[in-house]
Amino acid sequence: MIKYRRFNNTIELMCILIVLLLVFFSFPETRSTFNVGERKLPIYNVDTKDKKIAITFDCGWDEDKTKEILEVLDKHNVKATFFLVGAWIDDFEKDTKLIYEKGHEIGNHSNMHPNMSRVSKERIIKEIEITDGKIMKITGALPKLFRCPSGDYNDLVVQVVEDSNHYCIQWDVDSIDWKGEGEEIEYNRVIKKTKPGSIILFHTNGKYTPKNLSKIIKKFQDEGYKFVKVSDLIYKEDFYIDSTGKQILK
């Protein structure tokens, strides 16, 4: 009797699983509830054969080298994208205006630089809206790009960013310049990883960033690369993002 009961329970369990699978595949709308294998991702890089790459800077700290960086970009006739924290804008209004006047792109990097995946939807919206307002007040233009502080995101964050009419931008080449590990280390890190369609991450407080920036730009320009703003690199429509974060044209 005991063996029969165990066998019977197994049969019942199998029947339940079969019914659940039948429901799952018979009604596609139920699949989103299970969230099988799908995850929303920001744009890490772009699928392109053209030798185009984008340099980006995150601005959010007091020890700042923005003016030096702008001088280097001017010297090499390169336009970049700067992601600004709202609190940084409060302290560096003149620099914010200067970035814009020199023709560089300004993106939203939140107001107080929180880990976005750990805050509420309402807080995410507020962080975006407040910084949009600060940028709009100084430049007269609303940013179209958003970068998550510390690169921290989840499905909700990416969805809210998209719903607020921003492209969510990550990176595939990280200089890790904020650590100040050494000029050569940071230079080689960028050189080895950069390829057509790459989005490179720097910070305006990087100790070796201005000097390395000049060397990196010269090397890639000599190799036939063109530096563009992120909005000129990414596709605006008819695209999808693969499992690695690469933006691909349909």
Side-chain angles (χ1 to χ4, degrees):
M1 286 296 289
I2 295 175
K3 289 184 178 179
Y4 175 78
R5 285 176 181 171
R6 288 181 178 174
F7 179 76
N8 189 51
N9 288 339
T10 302
I11 294 295
E12 290 176 358
L13 180 59
M14 290 179 65
C15 288
I16 292 172
L17 288 174
I18 290 171
V19 171
L20 287 173
L21 287 172
L22 286 172
V23 171
F24 180 75
F25 288 106
S26 298
F27 300 95
E29 64 271 15
T30 64
R31 298 178 196 179
S32 61
T33 303
F34 290 88
N35 198 27
V36 179
E38 294 184 1
R39 185 187 180 200
K40 294 192 71 64
L41 294 172
I43 300 169
Y44 280 72
N45 54 34
V46 175
D47 181 46
T48 179
K49 294 180 180 179
D50 296 335
K51 283 190 167 183
K52 297 190 300 183
I53 50 183
I55 290 180
T56 68
F57 300 91
D58 287 358
C59 310
W61 298 269
D62 290 337
E63 187 181 344
D64 190 80
K65 295 180 173 61
T66 299
K67 289 186 175 64
E68 293 178 61
I69 288 170
L70 289 174
E71 289 174 1
V72 172
L73 294 174
D74 280 349
K75 176 183 176 181
H76 295 280
N77 194 29
V78 166
K79 301 304 178 186
T81 301
F82 290 75
F83 289 93
L84 310 187
V85 171
W88 184 90
I89 295 173
D90 294 337
D91 294 332
F92 296 94
E93 287 191 22
K94 290 182 179 179
D95 285 356
T96 300
K97 188 175 183 181
L98 185 62
I99 291 169
Y100 180 76
E101 289 177 342
K102 285 184 174 292
H104 301 290
E105 182 173 33
I106 293 180
N108 187 322
H109 196 36
S110 82
N111 188 50
M112 297 302 294
H113 205 269
N115 288 324
M116 301 293 269
S117 69
R118 301 179 188 178
V119 301
S120 67
K121 180 179 179 179
E122 291 71 23
R123 172 76 184 279
I124 297 170
I125 294 172
K126 187 176 181 181
E127 289 283 333
I128 296 172
E129 288 181 345
I130 290 175
T131 305
D132 271 359
K134 291 179 179 180
I135 294 171
M136 177 69 175
K137 181 180 178 181
I138 294 174
T139 68
L142 282 172
K144 294 297 183 182
L145 309 179
F146 179 87
R147 172 172 281 165
C148 297
S150 304
D152 176 60
Y153 65 88
N154 56 21
D155 286 359
L156 175 63
V157 174
V158 178
Q159 187 62 61
V160 172
V161 171
E162 292 175 353
D163 289 344
S164 65
N165 295 317
H166 296 76
Y167 294 94
C168 195
I169 306 297
Q170 199 80 340
W171 60 85
D172 66 322
V173 181
D174 190 350
S175 65
I176 317 181
D177 54 349
W178 58 272
K179 278 190 175 182
E181 295 175 308
E183 182 181 329
E184 188 174 351
I185 292 173
E186 294 171 14
Y187 173 82
N188 289 329
R189 182 180 288 139
V190 172
I191 294 302
K192 289 177 181 178
K193 294 183 177 181
T194 301
K195 56 187 179 296
S198 281
I199 298 174
I200 308 171
L201 170 64
F202 292 101
H203 298 79
T204 53
N205 68 332
K207 180 178 180 180
Y208 305 106
T209 298
K211 190 172 182 181
N212 264 333
L213 184 61
S214 186
K215 290 164 40 179
I216 289 168
I217 290 173
K218 186 177 186 308
K219 175 177 174 57
F220 283 117
Q221 284 182 334
D222 288 345
E223 292 180 4
Y225 277 86
K226 181 180 179 181
F227 291 90
V228 298
K229 294 178 284 188
V230 170
S231 64
D232 293 328
L233 178 67
I234 63 174
Y235 304 118
K236 306 300 193 308
E237 55 187 16
D238 296 327
F239 67 85
Y240 67 95
I241 300 174
D242 72 9
S243 61
T244 68
K246 183 185 292 293
Q247 188 193 39
I248 302 171
L249 194 63
K250 291 181 179 179

